[in-house]
Amino acid sequence: MQERLNALQGIRDRGIRQAPFVVLTGATMPAALVEVGFLSNSQEAARLLARDVQEDLASALAEAIVEYLRTPTPAPTPAGTATPTP
């Protein structure tokens, strides 16, 4: 998601952060909280009001989700066993 949104908006990668946000702590499925801009910044707020920007952001997120769903997940290893390194 981040790679697609960074490329779409032409911004640098500021990393991914984890925090116990209330909206995510009870999730029993993969979940992400996505920040697409800062409404306190008047230029970003104006940009986010544009319909084409909203559609581009939604498309980038949808494509990232589809890619995630299509990516095979590795089988879990039993607790207490080491994963072999190649």
Side-chain angles (χ1 to χ4, degrees):
M1 284 184 189
Q2 183 172 356
E3 288 175 10
R4 288 178 185 269
L5 291 174
N6 286 349
L8 175 67
Q9 299 179 87
I11 58 176
R12 68 179 178 87
D13 186 343
R14 294 187 288 183
I16 295 174
R17 309 241 181 352
Q18 294 182 359
F21 290 105
V22 174
V23 296
L24 298 176
T25 55
T28 57
M29 67 202 87
L33 180 62
V34 179
E35 188 170 60
V36 295
F38 299 96
L39 297 179
S40 58
N41 179 309
S42 59
Q43 290 177 331
E44 285 192 27
R47 184 180 59 80
L48 292 171
L49 285 173
R51 183 61 142 185
D52 61 326
V53 172
Q54 293 172 9
E55 290 175 359
D56 289 345
L57 290 168
S59 292
L61 289 170
E63 290 168 7
I65 291 168
V66 168
E67 182 179 331
Y68 171 82
L69 293 173
R70 288 185 176 155
T71 303
T73 55
T77 57
T81 61
T83 304
T85 54

